[in-house]
Amino acid sequence: MTCWYEGPLAAFDTETTGVDVETDRIVSAAVVVQDAPGTRPRVTRWLVNPGVPVPAGATAVHGLTDERLQREGRWPSPVMEEIARVLAEQASRGRPLVVMNAPFDLTLLDRELRRHRASSLDQWFETTPLRVLDPRVLDKHLDRYRKGRRTLTDLCAHYEVVLDGAHDAAADAQAAMDVVRAVGHRFATRLARLSPAELHTLQAVWHAAQARGLQAWFARSGSEEAVDPAWPLRPGLAAAA
């Protein structure tokens, strides 16, 4: 039987106006679907006019300017529904969804749905649950004592995955998928017997433990920064900004 890391996967990534999931906006997104390692991926892309200025710092990261987004981007409302529908379709076909640092991208999408569609991400997965594979959570749990950062760029270097065009949503989604496949192969003795559904449940536990560890480290360092233990989606506020 084919292991999950050798079978069909989908991956999702966004580029945004910033790093606050409650107030920042999606400016581009991509879903990459691949039936098996080495096969040609199918890519769906979205470019969004967020309706708010894009800070220079964000543009420096992903290269998307106000001018281009106003000229080529679509209004957020239909785009957010299209993204949610595509993700729901992948779930209905049994494809696990790879999302690097899932609480960021999925929470941003949830807040955009609330903001523009009076909806939520959970509503799209009431009948078919979302099964998420987060390379950051998996790597941090399976190789917890390794020193160094664990950004997507770092994970690609560690697992010898090519990342062409970092901070392009499609390129990052493909790279995250390749990292997950590499993690699966490297830790096959621990992962092969687990289904994506089982891994989804375990990652929520692993992420919560990782968050507690990071929170304790912040406390020892004198920082008041809070770490949210929720995974893969942070609870919704009464109203998104």
Side-chain angles (χ1 to χ4, degrees):
M1 180 180 295
T2 301
C3 295
W4 58 263
Y5 49 81
E6 295 177 335
L9 294 176
F12 172 60
D13 190 74
T14 66
E15 297 301 329
T16 69
T17 60
V19 297
D20 188 329
V21 296
E22 303 298 343
T23 60
D24 279 306
R25 312 296 175 92
I26 294 173
V27 296
S28 72
V31 172
V32 177
V33 179
Q34 188 181 43
D35 293 327
T39 61
R40 186 178 182 86
R42 301 182 295 280
V43 181
T44 305
R45 304 170 184 265
W46 294 269
L47 196 63
V48 186
N49 180 350
V52 299
V54 180
T59 296
V61 172
H62 50 58
L64 297 172
T65 63
D66 281 326
E67 180 182 10
R68 181 183 174 191
L69 293 172
Q70 290 169 11
R71 183 178 67 250
E72 302 177 18
R74 297 169 56 204
W75 289 115
S77 179
V79 170
M80 300 311 151
E81 182 167 357
E82 287 175 18
I83 294 172
R85 181 177 292 110
V86 168
L87 297 184
E89 288 172 354
Q90 296 308 313
S92 70
R93 294 173 183 173
R95 293 191 185 102
L97 181 68
V98 175
V99 191
M100 173 70 186
N101 191 18
F104 179 77
D105 293 85
L106 294 183
T107 303
L108 262 169
L109 176 57
D110 176 77
R111 302 312 191 253
E112 290 278 51
L113 287 167
R114 293 169 185 265
R115 183 178 293 120
H116 297 291
R117 303 296 302 183
S119 178
S120 72
L121 194 58
D122 284 336
Q123 292 176 15
W124 286 89
F125 299 97
E126 290 176 340
T127 57
T128 306
L130 189 63
R131 307 302 188 192
V132 176
L133 299 170
D134 188 331
R136 185 173 182 273
V137 175
L138 291 170
D139 172 74
K140 197 169 184 180
H141 176 78
L142 294 163
D143 198 1
R144 67 185 68 184
Y145 300 113
R146 189 178 80 248
K147 301 291 186 180
R149 290 156 48 89
R150 305 198 191 221
T151 66
L152 180 59
T153 301
D154 297 318
L155 294 184
C156 286
H158 181 71
Y159 289 98
E160 299 181 343
V161 167
V162 175
L163 173 55
D164 287 328
H167 301 297
D168 169 83
D172 287 354
Q174 180 67 63
M177 182 188 296
D178 292 342
V179 168
V180 162
R181 293 194 190 279
V183 169
H185 280 283
R186 184 167 299 186
F187 297 98
T189 56
R190 300 168 65 182
L191 296 177
R193 62 183 175 82
L194 297 170
S195 69
E198 291 170 324
L199 273 173
H200 181 99
T201 300
L202 286 170
Q203 285 171 102
V205 176
W206 298 342
H207 178 270
Q210 293 162 9
R212 290 193 298 271
L214 183 56
Q215 190 72 75
W217 186 85
F218 281 146
R220 291 193 300 271
S221 303
S223 171
E224 296 182 358
E225 183 174 349
V227 183
D228 196 320
W231 183 98
L233 179 66
R234 298 177 187 172
L237 301 179

